[in-house]
Every structure is written in structure tokens, then in C-alpha cells.
Amino acid sequence: MLQPKYDWKVLLSNETDAQMLSELLEIHPLLAKLLVSRGMKTANEANAFLNGSVEDMHDPYLLSGMKEAVPRIMQALEYGERILVYGDYDADGVSSTTLMIQLMRRLGANFEYYIPHRSKEGYGLHIHALEEAHKRGVTLVITVDTGISAVDQIAYANNAGMDVIVTDHHEPPDFLPEAYALINPKLPYCQYPFKGLAGVGVAYKLATALLGSDVPEAWSELAALGTIADLMPLVGENRMIVRTGLKSMSQSPFPGMTALLKVAGWNKGEVTSTQVAFGLAPRINASGRMSHANKAVALLTAESSEQADMAAHELDLLNKERQSLVENIVGEAMDMLEGKEASGNLPDVIVVAGEGWNVGVVGIVASKILERYYRPTLVLGIDSDTGQCKGSARSIPGFDIYEALNHCSSLLEHFGGHPSAAGMSLHRDQLEQFDQRLNAFASDLLLPEHLIPTMTADLECSLQEITLPIIEQLEGLAPFGMDNPSPRLLIRGAKLLELRQMGKDGKHLKLTLEQHGKMIEALAFGKGEIAYLLSKDAMVDIIAEPGINEWNGSRKAQLFIQDISIPQLQVFDYRGSSHPESAIQDILERLLKLPNCQANSTAVVLNDGSDDMYNFKLKDTSLWVYDRRVGVLPKSDGVENAAAHHIRTLFVMELPKSPVIWNTILTLFTSLERVFLMHPMSKSDDVIEIPSREHFKQVYALLRRLAVVSIAEDELVQALKARTSLSRRMLAMTLDVFEELDFIERASGIITVNNAPSKRPLDSSSKYKELGWLAEMEQMMLHSRASQITEWMLAQIQEVS
């Protein structure tokens, strides 16, 4: 058994609506089901989703503030006013700033731009920057991806004689700044139909309002970059913008975009949202995190390939530095949380802070900690000189982190963001109270089910349904991203035929699955650590994304596994291992790193008094011994017999001496998920066979001849062994049966044959039955394949339950 990492859910799809869509749009039923499960019930809705373009976007003047902003900008152009484009340092802000630079250039504006330094200044408008701009003659400020909370800063600009047009998409505060114009679809009074625009999306709408149909298609590349990087929903207008932008990127007129794609591994062909999210966005963000976002703006506005190549390689190096820095801080943060986790005191909302932590990467660190613990997480860097803390938060569904920060606003100097991600600053003296207030707030909102990560599959299907033509149609749902993920398919009961690790340090897995004669390859990235928990021929359930493997002109369907489960008991074969203790410790070290695997859920079982019991050095597991009366008893200090139902992993060091014991164990270890067979293979003198009447007749006939008079048991067994193919142990157990049936008498090691025994059938002997059960168990456990042992154990569990 292998527990999935996530709690699986499957979307519901109305079969009638799906069939109608399939017929009207002439699409495969699988695609139609996906569209319906994602909320598209009519042909018009589905067609708009599949085929919508930028021409179908809403009128930009539906955005509140646009009617005031456009004339003011035109006035500034007419009179040659100095304009300041004020941006942000993340990928959305860089994209927004770059787009506005392109717009200002096209309009022939007298302009400059400014992006604050992430660690030295922090997020948002800053009065000192406005002061300097005012000295340079700026009379109009246009913000992009920032400004909606800048009440004091905009008040200063107004007093200095500068008008401010805010274009932003962050959550508006209760008290809004008195700007010349506020353009934000999330404003409560804004009637714009689509609320999910990124900051660059709002800037793109401003450009559309100013230029109309003359907006260059290439500008959609910048809008796509920021929209994907800022994890905006890829539905509605965002989907249209991103699809157009990705198409343009493959032949981009921006040298910087092409150079960045190349350092990120792109060669040629179509650019995908995945390449942007994991290739371009991190490198753009690395500029602001590790240095200054101006480097990223310089890349995207570069006018020659030479300039662009140099800038792209510089960002690539910054990104590598960022990755190393993140790894170090994550390690330090995990060390802080290790004790709390071990003691069961991990808070509902995690707050960790460290001196010298680079505030440019704390958001990434928060994401990684959230992934590990699945709790809202805040990570802050502390300035050791000033005591100032700047941090980032990442949250889970069901807990609005912006609302939580608002609840703690009296402790914060600044905060802003979205329900799922936010930033904040405060003094270290407030940290403890901040942590307490956050968790008090969470205690009223977070339920146990909120802390269980979920994964949603679009629908359940079989391997037979996953074909090239179907996958090609499913690709019509792209671009994939937030609120429009790549289709996830739930497949149950596929047999695992082959498994191998691949990549550096075996980090990834490649599986071959089979179901009803259909075979398919499946890749599981980042899941190499569970390779030893996947047994050959196991029946697996998976949630996977379909894809196409193209190699040397050949194309075939493949799956990308997102989560995997094995719902039945598994058996792993380590029989005859020369160093079983080392093997167990190696398995435990890997096992205890996985979620849902605790030290108190693992056990070793062997015979009481065994040499191994005294030699075995327990580290992270409990020791149990076989007991004929109750099946198994704990031998480790502090372990109660009642704890048997907690055991999920069992290491069998030796086989029990009675089959009854084995069956009893299966009734005690009710939560058993996996069994590792570590026992030695039997010697020839120990082998027992499933008894037959012929074998008993043969032995009895020899007894009558060899024991005409009383004979020592050792001498008799030696004589019988010389005349049969039976082992010493088998002969000894045969004599036990004869003794129970009164065929012989035993006294002080001497055996005497009863010349007038009562006529009792063999199967009336309990020892005969036990010998049969024991022989069956040992034959299975010693000589069968792991898959056969698994089936046998499952049958035993079914029988005893």
C-alpha cells in the first residue's frame, strides 16, 4: 500500500451537456466532458474558451478611471510634460514597466521609469523617489502593478503638484488614495467584467485605450509573461492575452525575449506557459531578488541581440545564485521547525524569521515550506542593525492571507497582496505578538480538512482512452496555468510492469503501466524517493496529465504522474539478505522522510529468544516477537500491545513457528501497508513439505520395521532420513502427528510403536492440520515470488477479517 500525497477529488461532468457539446462542436467526448466539468455548459461558452482571441476582449473604457486617465496622458503628451512610470520589482512589475516603456516610446513621450530596490526600499511608492522625480520636473506619475495602497505617498505627490494615475490589480484597502485616476478591476465600484487581470494586464488595457487597434501584437508577449509569472487565472481575457503572447514569442521581435528563452532551454517551436512559468519568470524575478529589477527591464528593452545575450546570461547566473541561496535558507528554516513537528506542536500558521535572510527570496522559501507542511507560511528576513523585518507569505485555499494580515495591521508597518500571497514589514519586537495574533485568527477559520492538500482530477478514465488523437484535442485547452490546469486524469487499477529511476541522483521515475492489454509509459518527476515503495506487478491508481513523447520523428502518448497510490498491501523481497539490519536502517532513513510515515508506525518481528533479537540495534522502529497465544508481543520499551494497530510497515526478520501465529498477526496489524521480507532462506534440514497420505504411509511402514522394539528418537530420525527424502524437521513433525494419533509413544527420548493403535483418520489430528498450514506458509514465504506472496497475504487478510 502507498498513501497518495493528496486527497483526491474528481470533478462532476453532466453527461447530457457533454454529449451535446461533443456533437455541436465535433470534438471528442473526453474533451467535451472536460469542458463541462470546468463550467462550460453551452456551445457558445466552450467555443469562446477554445477559440477566443484578443479581438474578443472587453472595452478598456469599462475600467473605472480609464476615462480620466487617457485625456490626462494625452494632455501630458501635448504639452511635453515629464512622465514617470513607476513599477515593481517582480516579473509582473517588470513586464508592466517594460510595456509602459514601449507605450511611452510609441507615443513620443518625455518620460523616465523607476523601480524600487527590493531589499533596500521594499514594495510600493516611496516618497523619496517622488521627491527626486519632482526635482527632475515630473508632473505626471503612472504606476504599474503598484499604488492602490499608497495613500500617504500620493497625498505627497498631490501637494507637490504631481498628478498620479494608478494602474494596479492588488486588493484595494478600505481607504483609497486620492489619485487623479485609479484603474483597478478589483475596485468595489468598478464594473469591468473580468477581475483577474495581472498588473501588466491592466497596463495592457491602458495601452489599448490609448492606441486602439494599433497596439502591436508583440506587446501581448509582455502581458503573457507577467500574467503567467504572477499566477493569474488563465481564463477569460487572460487566456486570450496569454495565448496570443505565447504564439508571438516563438518569433519575438524583442531580442531580449528570444535571448531569455534560449538560456532557459528553448530552442525553437511553440512556446508553452510551462516554459514561461519555470524558465522565464524565475530569471526575471532573480533580477529583483538578487540585484535590481532594472537589469530585467534592460533585457526586455534591449535593441540588439548582443546586448540581449549578455543581459540574459547575467540573469541566468543570478537565478543560479538565487537557487543556492533559497536552498540554504530553506534548510535553516526547516531546522527551526523540526522540533515543533517532532513534538506535534507545529502551528496552523507558520512564521519563521532569520537574521541576514535575503528578503528577495523569502517568498520562494515560504512556498517550499508550505509545500512540505501544507500550512499558511510567512518567512521574514531580519535586518540585524535596525531590527526591521521584511517578509512574504504564501497561503492555502480556505485561508485568505491578505485578510489575516489586515487583522494584524496594527502590528505592521506595511502590507499588501492577494488572498494566496502577500508581503509585509514590521519590527522584530512585534514578531512574537504577530505570530500569536495570526494563529489566534486562524484558529477560528482553519479546520482540520483545510490542512489536507487536495488534488482534483477532471475525470476518471482508462488507459485505452488515452490516445494520440485525443491528447491532440486536449491540447486545445492550452495555455495551462492557474484556474486552467493541464487536464488531470484519474486512472485506477493499472499494473506496474516496469520501474526505473532516472535523472541526477535518481530523482525521477519512469514507469511502464498496463491495463486490459494497453501499455503506456509514465513519468513521475521528483518522485524518485518512493521507488523502493513501488513493487513490481502492483496495481496502482494515478492522477496524471496526458502528453506526447516526440523522439526521432516518432510520436506516442505518455503520462505525467502527479500523484500515485497503491490501495492494497505490498510485499518487498529482501529474503536472504546478508546484512538485514543495514538494509532495514537504509529503508527506514528513506521511509521516515516521507509524509504520513512516522517512527512509531514501523516494526520488526522475529522469534522470542532469537540471536537477532539481541544483536539488532533499534533506531527508529519497535521490536515485536511471535507469541503462540496472542500472535505477537512488543519487546521494545514503552511500546504497548495496543499500538499494533498503528503499525504500517513490518520487517519480517524470521518466520513464525506456527501458521496460527501468522494469521493472528494479520488481525492485530490492522493498518499494515507494506511488508519487507528479510528472513533467511531455509536449510535443507529445515524444509517441510505439504503432507500427503502417501508420505505418512511410507514413514509409518518404515517405523514398523525400524522400531520393532523401542528405539531412541535421534537414532530413529537418522534412520528415517537415510531412507526418505524428508528433512529432519519434517520427520520430527511427522512423529508429532503419530504421537497425537496414538501410533507411537514417546518417553525420555525413546519411541515405541503402538502395535494396536485406534483407527483415527489423519485429518482428525490438529498437528497434521497445523503441519499442512505451516508447510503452505513456508512454501509460499520461502519460494514464491513477491507478487504471489502479496496475493496470498491479501487472501489471508480477507479470510481472517
Side-chain angles (χ1 to χ4, degrees):
M1 186 176 293
L2 178 68
Q3 298 288 348
K5 182 178 179 180
Y6 299 91
D7 180 26
W8 294 358
K9 301 184 184 301
V10 183
L11 294 177
L12 297 176
S13 181
N14 185 292
E15 294 290 337
T16 303
D17 291 342
Q19 184 177 352
M20 179 195 70
L21 280 190
S22 177
E23 293 172 356
L24 290 176
L25 299 180
E26 297 182 348
I27 57 177
H28 193 278
L30 200 64
L31 174 56
K33 288 180 184 178
L34 281 163
L35 290 168
V36 171
S37 68
R38 295 188 180 195
M40 283 154 276
K41 298 180 181 179
T42 69
N44 286 338
E45 289 176 320
N47 187 59
F49 184 84
L50 293 172
N51 304 306
S53 67
V54 288
E55 285 77 20
D56 302 315
M57 292 175 67
H58 304 298
D59 183 346
Y61 283 96
L62 293 175
L63 280 162
S64 60
M66 192 67 79
K67 292 177 181 177
E68 292 76 26
V70 170
R72 180 65 185 88
I73 294 171
M74 297 304 293
Q75 175 186 320
L77 294 172
E78 181 179 355
Y79 291 101
E81 294 181 55
R82 186 73 172 169
I83 300 173
L84 171 66
V85 174
Y86 195 110
D88 185 30
Y89 39 68
D90 68 1
D92 187 14
V94 166
S95 303
S96 305
T97 303
T98 304
L99 193 148
M100 290 303 295
I101 290 172
Q102 297 295 339
L103 176 62
M104 293 293 107
R105 286 176 177 176
R106 191 174 186 89
L107 293 172
N110 174 16
F111 78 99
E112 60 186 70
Y113 79 90
Y114 186 87
I115 295 177
H117 192 284
R118 184 167 198 146
S119 58
K120 294 178 181 179
E121 297 173 276
Y123 175 81
L125 279 174
H126 295 283
I127 289 177
H128 72 86
L130 295 173
E131 286 176 339
E132 293 300 318
H134 182 251
K135 291 177 183 177
R136 293 190 296 273
V138 168
T139 55
L140 176 62
V141 179
I142 304 174
T143 74
V144 285
D145 193 34
T146 189
I148 198 63
S149 300
V151 175
D152 294 339
Q153 296 87 340
I154 291 175
Y156 167 83
N158 292 338
N159 290 333
M162 294 185 290
D163 291 335
V164 181
I165 295 172
V166 172
T167 73
D168 200 354
H169 73 127
H170 292 94
E171 295 293 331
D174 294 334
F175 188 67
L176 296 170
E178 295 183 2
Y180 188 91
L182 292 176
I183 306 175
N184 184 333
K186 292 180 181 174
L187 287 166
Y189 53 81
C190 182
Q191 300 300 307
Y192 196 73
F194 183 66
K195 304 296 184 181
L197 290 171
V200 70
V202 180
Y204 187 81
K205 301 301 292 189
L206 176 59
T208 305
L210 284 161
L211 299 179
S213 60
D214 290 335
V215 173
E217 184 179 89
W219 291 8
S220 65
E221 297 177 34
L222 300 170
L225 172 58
T227 299
I228 294 170
D230 218 40
L231 303 179
M232 292 296 102
L234 295 194
V235 296
E237 285 194 332
N238 285 346
R239 176 175 171 78
M240 302 172 192
I241 292 171
V242 169
R243 185 157 58 184
T244 303
L246 293 176
K247 183 179 178 182
S248 178
M249 276 185 200
S250 61
Q251 295 180 318
S252 178
F254 297 125
M257 191 70 75
T258 301
L260 194 61
L261 280 166
K262 287 180 178 178
V263 299
W266 175 82
N267 186 17
K268 59 180 180 179
E270 187 177 328
V271 180
T272 67
S273 55
T274 301
Q275 289 170 321
V276 172
F278 296 100
L280 304 193
R283 289 169 171 83
I284 293 289
N285 278 322
S287 175
R289 296 182 193 280
M290 306 299 295
S291 180
H292 197 290
N294 287 347
K295 293 181 184 293
V297 175
L299 166 71
L300 294 176
T301 56
E303 296 183 352
S304 72
S305 297
E306 291 76 14
Q307 289 177 321
D309 288 341
M310 289 179 62
H313 280 94
E314 185 176 5
L315 293 196
D316 191 48
L317 288 174
L318 288 174
N319 190 51
K320 288 182 171 67
E321 291 178 26
R322 187 271 307 167
Q323 290 171 328
S324 177
L325 186 61
V326 166
E327 187 177 333
N328 293 336
I329 297 177
V330 167
E332 292 180 32
M334 291 296 191
D335 289 342
M336 294 178 182
L337 296 169
E338 194 175 75
K340 294 181 179 180
E341 182 186 21
S343 61
N345 294 321
L346 200 66
D348 289 341
V349 179
I350 294 172
V351 179
V352 286
E355 287 192 2
W357 286 0
N358 187 316
V359 298
V361 301
V362 290
I364 303 173
V365 175
S367 295
K368 291 185 177 294
I369 295 175
L370 183 149
E371 184 179 351
R372 170 66 177 83
Y373 295 110
Y374 201 70
R375 280 164 164 73
T377 301
L378 294 86
V379 180
L380 302 103
I382 304 172
D383 187 313
S384 57
D385 294 330
T386 66
Q388 287 300 114
C389 304
K390 293 181 181 179
S392 288
R394 299 292 183 269
S395 194
I396 60 177
F399 189 76
D400 186 329
I401 193 66
Y402 180 83
E403 182 185 358
L405 292 178
N406 195 43
H407 177 75
C408 305
S409 59
S410 62
L411 301 173
L412 301 174
E413 296 176 5
H414 177 81
F415 72 96
H418 310 290
S420 59
M424 77 299 299
S425 62
L426 70 162
H427 195 272
R428 71 185 311 165
D429 293 344
Q430 308 293 335
L431 266 179
E432 185 176 352
Q433 189 178 353
F434 178 53
D435 188 341
Q436 293 172 353
R437 192 178 296 184
L438 272 176
N439 275 284
F441 178 76
S443 66
D444 295 329
L445 294 175
L446 281 177
L447 302 174
E449 54 264 33
H450 288 137
L451 301 179
I452 301 173
T454 62
M455 179 172 285
T456 301
D458 290 277
L459 52 85
E460 185 172 344
C461 66
S462 65
L463 289 185
Q464 286 90 335
E465 295 177 85
I466 303 172
T467 64
L468 270 177
I470 293 174
I471 295 174
E472 287 169 346
Q473 281 203 28
L474 293 180
E475 288 181 340
L477 294 169
F480 301 121
M482 294 298 292
D483 287 6
N484 184 46
S486 179
R488 286 178 174 166
L489 309 176
L490 171 59
I491 299 148
R492 299 187 190 273
K495 180 183 282 190
L496 176 56
L497 297 182
E498 295 179 7
L499 163 71
R500 69 179 178 89
Q501 290 178 268
M502 61 182 201
K504 185 180 179 182
D505 301 324
K507 190 175 182 180
H508 313 300
L509 295 178
K510 185 176 184 179
L511 286 64
T512 301
L513 304 176
E514 183 270 335
Q515 188 181 57
H516 306 306
K518 170 70 178 288
M519 288 195 298
I520 194 167
E521 287 185 349
L523 302 177
F525 292 112
K527 299 187 184 298
E529 62 185 7
I530 66 168
Y532 70 104
L533 293 180
L534 300 174
S535 56
K536 192 173 183 296
D537 294 332
M539 305 302 288
V540 303
D541 298 342
I542 61 171
I543 291 182
E545 297 176 0
I548 297 174
N549 181 15
E550 299 189 39
W551 180 255
N552 285 341
S554 173
R555 304 175 84 240
K556 61 180 181 180
Q558 67 179 356
L559 295 173
F560 297 97
I561 295 176
Q562 306 303 305
D563 202 11
I564 185 168
S565 167
I566 299 176
Q568 72 277 351
L569 177 74
Q570 287 180 277
V571 175
F572 299 89
D573 191 359
Y574 287 77
R575 289 173 293 183
S577 172
S578 56
H579 300 287
E581 180 182 338
S582 297
I584 290 174
Q585 294 295 2
D586 179 59
I587 292 168
L588 284 173
E589 284 178 10
R590 290 181 286 169
L591 187 68
L592 296 177
K593 291 178 182 178
L594 301 178
N596 304 319
C597 292
Q598 291 83 35
N600 64 0
S601 68
T602 62
V604 167
V605 62
L606 36 64
N607 288 297
D608 198 4
S610 166
D611 290 341
D612 286 327
M613 185 174 71
Y614 303 106
N615 296 332
F616 194 80
K617 298 179 178 63
L618 297 173
K619 181 181 178 183
D620 291 308
T621 192
S622 57
L623 180 65
W624 298 68
V625 294
Y626 298 118
D627 182 86
R628 181 175 286 272
R629 291 174 296 104
V630 296
V632 68
L633 287 172
K635 275 288 182 179
S636 298
D637 294 338
V639 178
E640 301 295 332
N641 197 40
H645 72 277
H646 290 302
I647 301 302
R648 295 187 178 188
T649 302
L650 183 65
F651 297 96
V652 179
M653 290 284 285
E654 294 177 332
L655 294 180
K657 296 175 181 178
S658 163
V660 176
I661 293 177
W662 185 257
N663 286 347
T664 308
I665 285 175
L666 297 178
T667 65
L668 290 173
F669 292 132
T670 53
S671 300
L672 205 56
E673 296 181 359
R674 59 192 70 87
V675 175
F676 288 88
L677 303 180
M678 319 294 297
H679 57 270
M681 307 304 284
S682 65
K683 301 174 184 177
S684 58
D685 276 359
D686 289 335
V687 174
I688 60 173
E689 302 174 8
I690 296 176
S692 66
R693 293 182 182 277
E694 288 70 24
H695 132 246
F696 273 86
K697 284 181 182 178
Q698 178 193 15
V699 174
Y700 187 66
L702 288 170
L703 268 176
R704 301 281 299 190
R705 282 190 319 192
L706 295 170
V708 177
V709 293
S710 298
I711 185 172
E713 184 169 341
D714 287 345
E715 181 183 345
L716 175 61
V717 170
Q718 187 65 29
L720 290 171
K721 189 173 182 299
R723 291 167 173 78
T724 68
S725 59
L726 302 177
S727 70
R728 183 178 295 274
R729 181 166 167 246
M730 181 70 181
L731 289 167
M733 297 185 77
T734 301
L735 294 178
D736 290 342
V737 174
F738 286 153
E739 181 183 22
E740 183 183 8
L741 294 173
D742 291 328
F743 288 6
I744 63 171
E745 293 180 1
R746 274 174 165 156
S748 302
I750 302 297
I751 288 183
T752 304
V753 176
N754 188 343
N755 292 319
S758 58
K759 294 184 178 181
R760 292 174 57 190
L762 274 174
D763 55 14
S764 68
S765 165
S766 62
K767 292 191 178 296
Y768 176 80
K769 295 175 183 177
E770 185 172 341
L771 174 58
W773 294 332
L774 183 62
E776 178 189 347
M777 181 191 75
E778 291 194 2
Q779 288 287 327
M780 180 63 66
M781 299 287 278
L782 291 170
H783 305 298
S784 297
R785 298 192 308 274
S787 58
Q788 294 173 309
I789 297 174
T790 303
E791 292 179 10
W792 178 74
M793 283 192 185
L794 290 172
Q796 298 291 106
I797 291 172
Q798 185 69 28
E799 185 176 321
V800 297
S801 63

